[in-house]
Amino acid sequence: MRNFKLALGAVIVAAGFASCKDEAKMTAEKHVDHYVVFVDSVNSLDAQERAANWAAIQAEYEMRTAEAEAALATLENEAKAQERITESKSKYEGVKTQAESEAKAKMEAEATPAPAGTGSLADAFFGPGVVVGNDMKFAWVNKDNILSVYQKFVDTFNANKDNYSRQDFDKIKAYYEALDTRKNTVEKEGLSGEDNRKIAALKLGFAPKFKWERMTAKSDENAKAKE
Protein backbone atom coordinates (compact mmCIF):
# COMPACT_ATOMS: atom_id res chain seq x y z
CA MET A 1 0.00 0.00 0.00
CA ARG A 2 2.87 2.32 0.88
CA ASN A 3 4.55 1.63 -2.46
CA PHE A 4 1.29 2.35 -4.27
CA LYS A 5 0.98 5.72 -2.54
CA LEU A 6 4.58 6.62 -3.46
CA ALA A 7 3.97 5.64 -7.08
CA LEU A 8 0.73 7.65 -7.16
CA GLY A 9 2.55 10.64 -5.72
CA ALA A 10 5.22 10.37 -8.43
CA VAL A 11 2.54 10.32 -11.13
CA ILE A 12 0.85 13.44 -9.68
CA VAL A 13 4.17 15.29 -9.48
CA ALA A 14 5.03 14.30 -13.05
CA ALA A 15 1.59 15.47 -14.23
CA GLY A 16 2.15 18.74 -12.43
CA PHE A 17 5.51 19.25 -14.19
CA ALA A 18 3.93 18.41 -17.55
CA SER A 19 1.10 20.85 -16.89
CA CYS A 20 3.53 23.64 -15.97
CA LYS A 21 5.59 22.87 -19.04
CA ASP A 22 2.54 23.01 -21.32
CA GLU A 23 1.43 26.29 -19.76
CA ALA A 24 4.89 27.81 -20.19
CA LYS A 25 4.93 26.66 -23.81
CA MET A 26 1.53 28.22 -24.48
CA THR A 27 2.63 31.48 -22.88
CA ALA A 28 5.80 31.49 -24.99
CA GLU A 29 3.80 30.88 -28.18
CA LYS A 30 1.48 33.76 -27.25
CA HIS A 31 4.45 36.09 -26.81
CA VAL A 32 5.72 35.23 -30.30
CA ASP A 33 2.20 35.63 -31.75
CA HIS A 34 1.75 39.00 -30.05
CA TYR A 35 5.09 40.19 -31.41
CA VAL A 36 4.18 39.24 -34.98
CA VAL A 37 0.71 40.79 -34.73
CA PHE A 38 2.12 44.00 -33.23
CA VAL A 39 4.59 44.47 -36.09
CA ASP A 40 1.85 43.83 -38.65
CA SER A 41 -0.36 46.44 -36.95
CA VAL A 42 2.46 49.02 -37.10
CA ASN A 43 2.83 48.29 -40.82
CA SER A 44 -0.87 48.96 -41.36
CA LEU A 45 -0.80 52.46 -39.81
CA ASP A 46 -0.72 55.46 -42.13
CA ALA A 47 2.41 57.62 -42.09
CA GLN A 48 0.82 60.50 -40.18
CA GLU A 49 -0.48 58.28 -37.37
CA ARG A 50 2.88 56.48 -37.13
CA ALA A 51 4.78 59.77 -36.87
CA ALA A 52 2.46 61.12 -34.18
CA ASN A 53 2.89 58.01 -31.99
CA TRP A 54 6.39 56.83 -32.87
CA ALA A 55 7.92 57.09 -29.37
CA ALA A 56 5.17 54.90 -27.90
CA ILE A 57 5.41 52.46 -30.82
CA GLN A 58 9.17 52.07 -30.37
CA ALA A 59 8.84 51.53 -26.60
CA GLU A 60 6.21 48.82 -27.03
CA TYR A 61 8.22 47.21 -29.84
CA GLU A 62 11.24 46.82 -27.57
CA MET A 63 9.07 45.21 -24.87
CA ARG A 64 7.46 42.81 -27.35
CA THR A 65 10.86 41.92 -28.79
CA ALA A 66 12.26 41.04 -25.36
CA GLU A 67 9.24 38.82 -24.60
CA ALA A 68 9.44 37.04 -27.97
CA GLU A 69 13.18 36.36 -27.73
CA ALA A 70 12.84 35.08 -24.15
CA ALA A 71 10.11 32.72 -25.37
CA LEU A 72 12.52 30.94 -27.72
CA ALA A 73 14.18 29.09 -24.83
CA THR A 74 10.82 27.53 -23.87
CA LEU A 75 9.62 26.46 -27.30
CA GLU A 76 10.46 23.03 -28.70
CA ASN A 77 10.28 24.14 -32.34
CA GLU A 78 12.66 27.05 -31.77
CA ALA A 79 13.74 27.30 -35.43
CA LYS A 80 10.20 27.99 -36.65
CA ALA A 81 9.59 30.63 -33.97
CA GLN A 82 12.95 32.24 -34.70
CA GLU A 83 12.05 32.43 -38.38
CA ARG A 84 8.79 34.24 -37.57
CA ILE A 85 10.58 36.69 -35.27
CA THR A 86 13.31 37.35 -37.83
CA GLU A 87 10.75 38.02 -40.57
CA SER A 88 8.84 40.46 -38.36
CA LYS A 89 12.07 42.22 -37.35
CA SER A 90 12.85 42.77 -41.01
CA LYS A 91 9.38 44.27 -41.57
CA TYR A 92 9.73 46.57 -38.59
CA GLU A 93 13.16 47.81 -39.61
CA GLY A 94 11.71 48.80 -42.99
CA VAL A 95 8.90 50.76 -41.33
CA LYS A 96 11.33 52.31 -38.84
CA THR A 97 13.62 53.53 -41.62
CA GLN A 98 10.64 55.06 -43.44
CA ALA A 99 9.28 56.71 -40.28
CA GLU A 100 12.68 58.21 -39.40
CA SER A 101 13.09 59.49 -42.95
CA GLU A 102 9.64 61.09 -42.89
CA ALA A 103 10.32 62.69 -39.49
CA LYS A 104 13.64 64.10 -40.72
CA ALA A 105 12.05 65.50 -43.88
CA LYS A 106 9.30 67.14 -41.81
CA MET A 107 11.82 68.75 -39.45
CA GLU A 108 13.86 70.09 -42.36
CA ALA A 109 10.74 71.47 -44.06
CA GLU A 110 9.63 73.24 -40.89
CA ALA A 111 13.12 74.62 -40.21
CA THR A 112 13.61 76.00 -43.72
CA PRO A 113 10.81 78.17 -45.13
CA ALA A 114 10.13 77.57 -48.80
CA PRO A 115 11.16 80.48 -51.05
CA ALA A 116 8.53 82.25 -53.13
CA GLY A 117 7.34 80.19 -56.08
CA THR A 118 8.38 76.82 -54.60
CA GLY A 119 6.98 74.29 -52.18
CA SER A 120 3.34 73.82 -51.28
CA LEU A 121 0.87 76.57 -52.06
CA ALA A 122 -1.21 75.51 -49.05
CA ASP A 123 1.83 75.91 -46.77
CA ALA A 124 2.55 79.34 -48.22
CA PHE A 125 -1.01 80.62 -47.74
CA PHE A 126 -1.89 78.98 -44.43
CA GLY A 127 1.35 77.84 -42.79
CA PRO A 128 3.37 74.59 -42.84
CA GLY A 129 1.28 71.47 -42.34
CA VAL A 130 -1.97 73.32 -41.57
CA VAL A 131 -3.84 72.01 -44.61
CA VAL A 132 -3.41 68.23 -44.80
CA GLY A 133 -3.86 66.48 -48.14
CA ASN A 134 -7.09 67.46 -49.87
CA ASP A 135 -8.91 68.52 -46.71
CA MET A 136 -10.83 71.67 -47.64
CA LYS A 137 -13.14 71.86 -44.61
CA PHE A 138 -10.79 74.31 -42.82
CA ALA A 139 -12.13 73.24 -39.40
CA TRP A 140 -9.10 74.88 -37.77
CA VAL A 141 -10.41 78.34 -38.80
CA ASN A 142 -12.53 79.90 -36.05
CA LYS A 143 -13.96 83.27 -34.99
CA ASP A 144 -10.72 84.19 -33.20
CA ASN A 145 -8.25 83.53 -36.05
CA ILE A 146 -10.25 83.96 -39.26
CA LEU A 147 -9.28 87.61 -39.75
CA SER A 148 -5.56 86.76 -39.50
CA VAL A 149 -6.08 83.85 -41.94
CA TYR A 150 -7.63 86.17 -44.52
CA GLN A 151 -4.91 88.76 -43.93
CA LYS A 152 -2.13 86.20 -44.47
CA PHE A 153 -3.89 84.88 -47.56
CA VAL A 154 -4.15 88.34 -49.15
CA ASP A 155 -0.61 89.36 -48.14
CA THR A 156 0.85 86.14 -49.56
CA PHE A 157 -1.00 86.60 -52.84
CA ASN A 158 0.10 90.22 -53.19
CA ALA A 159 3.73 89.33 -52.52
CA ASN A 160 3.88 86.46 -55.03
CA LYS A 161 1.18 87.12 -57.63
CA ASP A 162 3.73 87.56 -60.45
CA ASN A 163 5.18 84.09 -59.84
CA TYR A 164 2.01 81.98 -60.07
CA SER A 165 1.19 79.70 -62.99
CA ARG A 166 -2.31 79.17 -64.35
CA GLN A 167 -2.53 75.94 -62.34
CA ASP A 168 -1.48 77.83 -59.21
CA PHE A 169 -4.27 80.35 -59.73
CA ASP A 170 -6.79 77.50 -60.00
CA LYS A 171 -5.60 76.09 -56.67
CA ILE A 172 -5.63 79.52 -55.03
CA LYS A 173 -9.21 80.00 -56.21
CA ALA A 174 -10.21 76.68 -54.64
CA TYR A 175 -8.53 77.62 -51.33
CA TYR A 176 -10.20 81.04 -51.32
CA GLU A 177 -13.63 79.57 -51.97
CA ALA A 178 -13.10 76.99 -49.20
CA LEU A 179 -12.11 79.78 -46.81
CA ASP A 180 -15.23 81.74 -47.75
CA THR A 181 -17.38 78.66 -47.13
CA ARG A 182 -15.83 78.28 -43.70
CA LYS A 183 -16.51 81.96 -43.01
CA ASN A 184 -20.24 81.36 -43.46
CA THR A 185 -20.06 78.86 -40.59
CA VAL A 186 -17.82 81.04 -38.42
CA GLU A 187 -20.23 83.96 -38.72
CA LYS A 188 -22.83 81.84 -36.89
CA GLU A 189 -20.32 80.96 -34.18
CA GLY A 190 -19.83 84.50 -32.91
CA LEU A 191 -17.61 86.33 -35.40
CA SER A 192 -17.40 89.94 -34.22
CA GLY A 193 -18.86 92.72 -36.36
CA GLU A 194 -15.53 94.54 -36.44
CA ASP A 195 -13.62 91.48 -37.71
CA ASN A 196 -16.36 90.81 -40.24
CA ARG A 197 -16.03 94.36 -41.63
CA LYS A 198 -12.24 94.05 -41.88
CA ILE A 199 -12.60 90.74 -43.73
CA ALA A 200 -15.12 92.35 -46.10
CA ALA A 201 -12.60 95.10 -46.87
CA LEU A 202 -9.87 92.52 -47.59
CA LYS A 203 -12.20 90.58 -49.89
CA LEU A 204 -13.24 93.77 -51.67
CA GLY A 205 -9.63 94.55 -52.56
CA PHE A 206 -8.63 90.96 -53.30
CA ALA A 207 -11.43 89.84 -55.67
CA PRO A 208 -10.81 92.18 -58.64
CA LYS A 209 -7.04 91.90 -58.29
CA PHE A 210 -7.18 88.10 -58.29
CA LYS A 211 -9.52 88.06 -61.28
CA TRP A 212 -7.18 90.29 -63.28
CA GLU A 213 -4.00 88.40 -62.39
CA ARG A 214 -5.59 85.03 -63.15
CA MET A 215 -6.89 86.23 -66.53
CA THR A 216 -3.47 87.71 -67.37
CA ALA A 217 -1.67 84.50 -66.42
CA LYS A 218 -3.94 82.47 -68.72
CA SER A 219 -3.38 84.91 -71.57
CA ASP A 220 0.39 84.80 -71.12
CA GLU A 221 0.46 80.99 -71.11
CA ASN A 222 -1.72 80.81 -74.21
CA ALA A 223 0.57 83.26 -76.00
CA LYS A 224 3.65 81.25 -75.05
CA ALA A 225 1.99 78.02 -76.21
CA LYS A 226 1.34 79.56 -79.65
CA GLU A 227 4.97 80.59 -79.94
Side-chain angles (χ1 to χ4, degrees), residues 16 34 56 70 111 126 146 173-174 208 212 226:
H34 290 166
F126 303 109
I146 190 168
K173 182 175 183 290
W212 170 257
K226 289 179 181 180

Side-chain angles (χ1 to χ4, degrees), residues 128-143:
V130 175
V131 177
V132 180
N134 295 318
D135 182 13
M136 301 290 277
K137 294 180 180 178
F138 288 14
W140 50 275
V141 177
N142 55 53
K143 64 183 180 64

Side-chain angles (χ1 to χ4, degrees), residues 24-39 59-90 92:
K25 181 182 176 183
M26 288 176 63
T27 300
E29 288 174 346
K30 284 182 180 178
H31 284 322
V32 175
D33 288 341
H34 290 166
Y35 173 78
V36 172
V37 170
F38 174 75
V39 172
E60 185 167 355
Y61 172 77
E62 291 172 0
M63 180 191 72
R64 300 276 185 189
T65 303
E67 289 176 347
E69 290 180 341
L72 290 176
T74 307
L75 294 173
E76 293 177 0
N77 193 347
E78 181 183 337
K80 185 177 180 180
Q82 180 65 70
E83 184 180 348
R84 294 180 69 201
I85 292 173
T86 301
E87 182 180 351
S88 290
K89 275 187 178 181
S90 178
Y92 185 82

Side-chain angles (χ1 to χ4, degrees), residues 18-187:
S19 177
C20 290
K21 185 177 180 181
D22 289 343
E23 186 177 346
K25 181 182 176 183
M26 288 176 63
T27 300
E29 288 174 346
K30 284 182 180 178
H31 284 322
V32 175
D33 288 341
H34 290 166
Y35 173 78
V36 172
V37 170
F38 174 75
V39 172
D40 287 342
S41 69
V42 173
N43 271 270
S44 68
L45 294 174
D46 61 59
Q48 187 176 358
E49 189 174 358
R50 253 198 324 260
N53 299 282
W54 187 251
I57 290 171
Q58 180 64 24
E60 185 167 355
Y61 172 77
E62 291 172 0
M63 180 191 72
R64 300 276 185 189
T65 303
E67 289 176 347
E69 290 180 341
L72 290 176
T74 307
L75 294 173
E76 293 177 0
N77 193 347
E78 181 183 337
K80 185 177 180 180
Q82 180 65 70
E83 184 180 348
R84 294 180 69 201
I85 292 173
T86 301
E87 182 180 351
S88 290
K89 275 187 178 181
S90 178
K91 286 182 182 178
Y92 185 82
E93 286 303 316
V95 173
K96 182 179 179 182
T97 299
Q98 182 180 353
E100 290 175 344
S101 176
E102 289 166 350
K104 182 180 178 182
K106 183 179 179 182
M107 288 177 63
E108 290 175 350
E110 291 176 350
T112 307
T118 65
S120 165
L121 275 176
D123 287 352
F125 277 90
F126 303 109
V130 175
V131 177
V132 180
N134 295 318
D135 182 13
M136 301 290 277
K137 294 180 180 178
F138 288 14
W140 50 275
V141 177
N142 55 53
K143 64 183 180 64
D144 298 317
N145 67 12
I146 190 168
L147 175 58
S148 64
V149 173
Y150 268 102
Q151 187 67 64
K152 178 176 173 57
F153 192 98
V154 172
D155 289 345
T156 300
F157 178 80
N158 289 338
N160 300 285
K161 64 183 186 300
D162 296 332
N163 300 320
Y164 296 132
S165 66
R166 184 172 63 178
Q167 289 76 16
D168 290 337
F169 276 102
D170 290 343
K171 288 182 181 178
I172 294 168
K173 182 175 183 290
Y175 290 139
Y176 186 68
E177 289 174 348
L179 181 57
D180 276 351
T181 299
R182 179 60 182 169
K183 178 179 176 291
N184 294 335
T185 300
V186 172
E187 284 180 350

Side-chain angles (χ1 to χ4, degrees), residues 173-213:
K173 182 175 183 290
Y175 290 139
Y176 186 68
E177 289 174 348
L179 181 57
D180 276 351
T181 299
R182 179 60 182 169
K183 178 179 176 291
N184 294 335
T185 300
V186 172
E187 284 180 350
K188 301 173 186 176
E189 296 175 348
L191 177 63
S192 70
E194 183 180 358
D195 282 358
N196 207 349
R197 286 190 292 275
K198 289 179 179 178
I199 291 171
L202 288 170
K203 288 167 60 66
L204 187 63
F206 173 80
K209 186 182 298 183
F210 175 80
K211 185 176 181 180
W212 170 257
E213 294 293 342

